[in-house]
Amino acid sequence: MKDIASGESILFAPRLPDEYAVWLGEIKPLSYFKERYMISAVHYTDEITKVLHQQYQGSGKPLLYLLHGLNTDSNNYSKPADFEGIDKFKMDLNTLHPILTECRVTKSELELTLIQFANDISSEAHVEVMRNAKVGMKEYQLESLFLHHTYMYGGCRHCSYTCICATGDNSAVLHYGHAAAPNDKTLQEGDMALLDMGAEYHFYGSDITCSFPVNGTFNRDQSLIYNAVLRAHNAVISSMRPGVGWVNMHKLAEKTILESLNEGGILFGDIDAMIHERLGAIFMPHGLGHLLGIDTHDPGGYLQGAERSKEPGLKALRTTRELLEGMVITVEPGCYFIDALLVPAMENPKTSKYFNIQEINKFRGFGGVRIESDVYVTSSGCVNMTKCPREIQEIEAVMAGAPWPIPKTTIPSANGEI
């Protein structure tokens, strides 16, 4: 709790029973919490009413600003604090939530340090999974390798979310890995793997997706789709800086993927016409990314009064804001072959003309590719906090046993000088 008038911070800790020491360990004195959290004062929760009234120097009931408001990502409302004696206070349920939400939109140096650590250990773990993935393994074994590395070498007891370890056609299921689809398929020859996994460190998350062939070598079709997504990923990151609109970044990713599919013979026709018909949402039905921090999907994506688009793809955006210095946001374009979206589009007279049916039928059952990095917006551009192999030659080299990062080879000049 923060006293606005004095600027003092007060923490209220539960008064624990003696049995706590038997089952859960030493009962820490209040001085422990005061020192650990560097706050002005600590009291017990059963003293809240008395302490706050003593702190208050004015007349009438003290005013409490309580955290209550809509999280525009989850569409849930935060539950305001409640305690015995709260009726002895005036309450404001509207002021605090938008202020604290906006505080979470941009990150401090200490917050960035925690997010970077979570990214570093998660990037390492993704590389470890790449090196050990083999045809015949189970998807949950890839998840297990990731969890072991982040806990063993990073002390990360928890992940930011349930791991998505999708291979083959499962990689077209956007939120695969849930209880009804528990990462239990056997890896098959020719499968692509789409692994969306991120460790959490001291409550701050990471959110990283890598896609690669389980046998370690990209074939022509896998290369085509992977490079389409990689081009979109890189184009967005190259364009990010304060003031850039996130909707425009999403549209850039869509356009880049459509261009690659057109060049690869899967689609044909005018790209601008495809964009007008929202064809990009058939292949990338989710939003480009989301704010990241204490929550995997951090709040603040929509300012008060902002309306969501109703257009395919755009309605899935988790933010429509302009980028601000200090934001951490995921960049996660994808390209998926989802029958539930493809079949209606191929039967629709407005969109069927863009599909090369013979070519696209080759990709039915392919699944999908997603590449996701966590990106910090700087004053003049951005920094990619994720450090995974991304280029096809990098992935194939790492899966063949090469070190990561791959040492840069010194190339001699034409006259033989280094």
Side-chain angles (χ1 to χ4, degrees):
M1 177 238 145
K2 187 83 168 180
D3 183 352
I4 296 174
S6 67
E8 293 183 351
S9 54
I10 306 171
L11 178 67
F12 294 95
R15 194 187 298 271
L16 300 171
D18 293 341
E19 300 85 58
Y20 180 98
V22 177
W23 297 97
L24 295 170
E26 177 190 359
I27 297 175
K28 301 288 196 301
L30 295 182
S31 58
Y32 167 84
F33 299 103
K34 187 174 186 295
E35 181 179 351
R36 179 174 178 81
Y37 296 109
M38 297 183 288
I39 53 179
S40 307
V42 184
H43 301 277
Y44 290 112
T45 52
D46 55 21
E47 300 174 311
I48 291 178
T49 302
K50 180 184 71 174
V51 170
L52 294 186
H53 273 275
Q54 290 174 348
Q55 187 82 6
Y56 180 60
Q57 300 297 319
S59 59
K61 289 184 177 181
L63 174 61
L64 294 181
Y65 292 95
L66 302 180
L67 189 61
H68 175 68
L70 177 67
N71 183 318
T72 58
D73 193 282
S74 67
N75 213 33
N76 294 323
Y77 280 86
S78 56
K79 184 179 178 181
D82 192 19
F83 56 88
E84 188 175 346
I86 198 170
D87 57 318
K88 295 179 173 61
F89 298 86
K90 292 187 293 183
M91 289 172 279
D92 181 322
L93 295 174
N94 300 315
T95 302
L96 188 58
H97 187 271
I99 293 172
L100 287 188
T101 296
E102 197 62 17
C103 286
R104 289 176 60 176
V105 168
T106 57
K107 306 301 191 279
S108 69
E109 288 297 326
L110 288 175
E111 288 178 303
L112 290 170
T113 298
L114 292 173
I115 296 171
Q116 185 63 70
F117 181 85
N119 262 270
D120 289 346
I121 195 66
S122 297
S123 297
E124 284 181 14
H126 272 283
V127 170
E128 191 67 13
V129 173
M130 282 183 191
R131 287 194 175 119
N132 288 278
K134 299 287 186 295
V135 171
M137 293 177 70
K138 291 287 190 179
E139 292 168 335
Y140 58 71
Q141 291 179 290
L142 306 183
E143 178 181 10
S144 177
L145 287 168
F146 182 88
L147 297 175
H148 171 73
H149 189 95
T150 55
Y151 200 2
M152 180 75 175
Y153 300 103
C156 300
R157 192 174 191 180
H158 302 290
C159 278
S160 304
Y161 49 92
T162 302
C163 292
I164 297 172
C165 292
T167 60
D169 57 354
N170 288 340
S171 57
V173 181
L174 300 182
H175 281 172
Y176 181 75
H178 54 80
N183 295 333
D184 59 357
K185 181 179 180 289
T186 302
L187 279 61
Q188 304 289 333
E189 180 67 34
D191 280 353
M192 281 292 288
L194 185 160
L195 306 186
D196 189 337
M197 304 182 287
E200 179 185 289
Y201 187 70
H202 284 271
F203 302 104
Y204 281 83
S206 59
D207 191 352
I208 299 171
T209 307
C210 294
S211 298
F212 56 87
V214 298
N215 65 8
T217 303
F218 284 82
N219 62 34
R220 175 200 170 276
D221 289 346
Q222 291 168 342
S223 297
L224 171 60
I225 305 306
Y226 185 87
N227 280 329
V229 177
L230 182 62
R231 281 178 60 189
H233 170 273
N234 293 348
V236 169
I237 291 177
S238 296
S239 303
M240 287 174 61
R241 59 185 53 81
V244 170
W246 195 241
V247 176
N248 291 334
M249 293 295 93
H250 179 94
K251 290 179 177 179
L252 172 61
E254 282 186 337
K255 182 178 181 180
T256 305
I257 290 170
L258 290 175
E259 288 172 342
S260 294
L261 297 181
N262 205 39
E263 292 166 7
I266 294 173
L267 301 176
F268 40 61
D270 181 67
I271 298 296
D272 290 334
M274 294 181 197
I275 293 170
H276 178 74
E277 296 294 345
R278 299 299 306 132
L279 204 67
I282 303 301
F283 297 97
M284 190 176 82
H286 59 72
L288 176 63
H290 52 83
L291 298 173
L292 175 72
I294 297 174
D295 285 336
T296 309
H297 293 171
D298 237 14
Y302 282 82
L303 294 169
Q304 285 185 309
E307 292 188 7
R308 289 181 181 268
S309 172
K310 293 180 173 58
E311 293 188 71
L314 298 178
K315 65 184 180 182
L317 281 166
R318 296 185 182 273
T319 182
T320 55
R321 297 182 62 163
E322 290 186 353
L323 297 177
L324 300 173
E325 181 181 357
M327 277 182 172
V328 175
I329 193 165
T330 65
V331 175
E332 47 181 305
C335 181
Y336 316 88
F337 295 85
I338 304 170
D339 278 348
L341 297 175
L342 277 174
V343 172
M346 289 190 293
E347 294 176 349
N348 185 333
K350 290 185 177 181
T351 52
S352 60
K353 59 188 176 184
Y354 300 116
F355 293 95
N356 183 338
I357 303 300
Q358 183 177 354
E359 278 299 309
I360 207 161
N361 280 338
K362 296 178 183 178
F363 290 87
R364 304 282 286 276
F366 174 93
V369 167
R370 182 164 64 252
I371 301 172
E372 180 179 14
S373 298
D374 302 339
V375 180
Y376 160 53
V377 182
T378 66
S379 61
S380 58
C382 66
V383 173
N384 189 345
M385 306 175 83
T386 303
K387 301 172 181 176
C388 294
R390 293 306 195 194
E391 299 291 338
I392 284 178
Q393 61 268 30
E394 294 174 342
I395 294 170
E396 290 183 341
V398 165
M399 294 186 73
W404 180 257
I406 296 171
K408 293 182 179 179
T409 304
T410 306
I411 303 174
S413 64
N415 60 8
E417 295 178 355
I418 300 297

